[in-house]
Amino acid sequence: MRTREGGRIVDEAVVIARVRAGEPEAYAELVRAHTGIALRAAAALGAGADAEDVVQQAFVKAYCALGRFRDGMAFRPWLLSIVANETRNTVRAAVRRNTLADREAAFAETRPVIPESADPAVATLETERRGALAAALEKLSEEHRLVVTYRYLLEMDERETAQALGWPRGTVKSRLNRALRKLERLLPDFRPREGGETA
């Protein structure tokens, strides 16, 4: 699997082979290529202010488990499943529940900032829509929230979502379908766009 990393293409299989062959510094290429999406995943799944710690711990665990990583699989979904587990563990260990406002603020910080040249009315509407979506996601079951987060907020395709969640593709399709129907009832103007974004 090849991924873009700062304008360069990283061939994950080659990098993983280098790490396994005793070149641990090659792992930094995978870290650079996937840190952004790992931070977005941790924030979207509720890590809040602990997102950076969660991601750091996930990269350490992924490195330690690299010997068990199956050749031919994509690294990103595998890593994001570790990020999801770390996020759950962190939230449980802290015995606290992030408020909706904290989650939205943490998630908004990891998203591209609206340029200053943007129309203030459009920027306000976008912020309100993101808040409404976050509130609606809170009302979904964990499995529905996860499948929507991976598929649309993290812009993963169906195969990657299935791999990250450890579900068959048919389960991803059916749960995503039910989750989107629930979101449509909660947000009548909600429509997912192709490629992962939500309208």
Side-chain angles (χ1 to χ4, degrees):
M1 174 69 125
R2 292 176 171 264
T3 56
R4 280 217 169 265
E5 176 245 316
R8 288 185 2 213
I9 297 291
V10 173
D11 188 331
E12 293 176 347
V14 170
V15 174
I16 291 168
R18 286 170 50 203
V19 175
R20 287 176 172 167
E23 192 182 332
E25 57 276 5
Y27 190 66
E29 293 181 42
L30 292 173
V31 172
R32 280 192 299 274
H34 298 289
T35 295
I37 195 163
L39 284 168
R40 287 199 316 273
L45 295 172
D50 296 324
E52 286 186 14
D53 292 337
V54 164
V55 169
Q56 184 176 6
Q57 189 62 30
F59 274 117
V60 169
K61 286 192 174 183
Y63 178 81
C64 293
L66 210 50
R68 296 190 305 271
F69 179 74
R70 290 191 350 230
D71 291 332
M73 299 297 287
F75 182 78
R76 181 173 76 157
W78 182 71
L79 172 69
L80 292 180
S81 67
I82 296 171
V83 170
N85 288 336
E86 279 303 301
T87 301
R88 269 193 296 275
N89 292 342
T90 298
V91 170
R92 283 185 192 137
V95 191
R96 64 173 166 70
R97 190 99 167 107
N98 289 332
T99 64
L100 176 60
D102 289 342
R103 274 194 188 188
E104 172 58 18
F107 184 65
E109 288 174 10
T110 63
R111 300 294 289 171
V113 178
I114 298 170
E116 288 182 24
S117 62
D119 181 344
V122 172
T124 301
L125 181 61
E126 182 63 28
T127 300
E128 288 175 5
R129 286 173 43 162
R130 234 186 264 143
L133 178 58
L137 284 171
E138 284 295 317
K139 295 177 182 174
L140 299 180
S141 68
E142 183 179 5
E143 64 186 23
H144 288 160
R145 187 170 46 251
L146 282 171
V147 74
V148 170
T149 297
Y150 278 76
R151 184 67 181 88
Y152 291 104
L153 300 180
L154 300 177
E155 301 176 10
M156 297 175 75
D157 64 28
E158 189 178 280
R159 181 187 53 79
E160 291 175 320
T161 301
Q163 183 184 340
L165 294 172
W167 300 344
R169 285 178 76 166
T171 302
V172 168
K173 280 184 179 182
S174 64
R175 288 182 181 166
L176 183 60
N177 189 319
R178 284 193 291 271
L180 292 178
R181 280 187 297 189
K182 288 179 181 180
L183 281 175
E184 285 174 358
R185 285 193 298 273
L186 294 167
L187 298 167
D189 295 333
F190 172 82
R191 280 185 195 47
R193 295 181 200 136
E194 255 332 289
E197 288 295 313
T198 53

